[in-house]
């Protein structure tokens, strides 16, 4: 997959996610499947919990991307 193609797919996913939550409130809630509830500590989760979890996941993966970039170009702290 070319970079432009990957970026377009990512942007499409962002747009789709925004459509899904456009009319939702952060305190709206739903239920996780029982087998996945152990990640949240409960089956009931709010949109707020999901959004915070996604921010945490992005941060975790961005940190890994920095490590890869540092190995490629040697720049640190950028």
């Amino acid at each position: 997959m070319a970079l432009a193609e990957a970026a377009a797919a990512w942007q499409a996913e962002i747009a789709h996610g925004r459509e899904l939550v456009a009319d939702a409130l952060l305190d709206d809630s739903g239920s996780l499947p029982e087998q996945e509830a152990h990640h949240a500590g409960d089956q009931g989760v709010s949109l707020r919990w999901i959004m915070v979890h996604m921010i945490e996941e992005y941060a975790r993966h961005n940190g890994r991307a920095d490590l890869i970039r540092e190995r490629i170009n040697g720049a640190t702290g950028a």
Side-chain angles (χ1 to χ4, degrees):
M1 178 180 287
L3 179 58
E5 210 177 338
W10 180 57
Q11 291 296 330
E13 289 299 323
I14 291 171
H16 180 66
R18 287 180 175 159
E19 288 173 16
L20 291 173
V21 300
D23 296 326
L25 300 174
L26 289 175
D27 291 326
D28 287 350
S29 62
S31 296
L32 292 173
E34 189 174 327
Q35 67 271 19
E36 295 192 19
H38 68 278
H39 293 295
D42 191 1
Q43 273 188 275
V45 293
S46 67
L47 178 58
R48 182 185 315 277
W49 182 90
I50 293 168
M51 298 296 269
V52 168
H53 182 69
M54 293 303 299
I55 291 167
E56 291 169 342
E57 286 299 310
Y58 265 103
R60 191 174 356 268
H61 291 287
N62 283 337
R64 290 184 187 126
D66 283 345
L67 293 175
I68 293 167
R69 182 197 41 77
E70 287 174 9
R71 296 291 296 173
I72 292 169
N73 67 11
T76 59

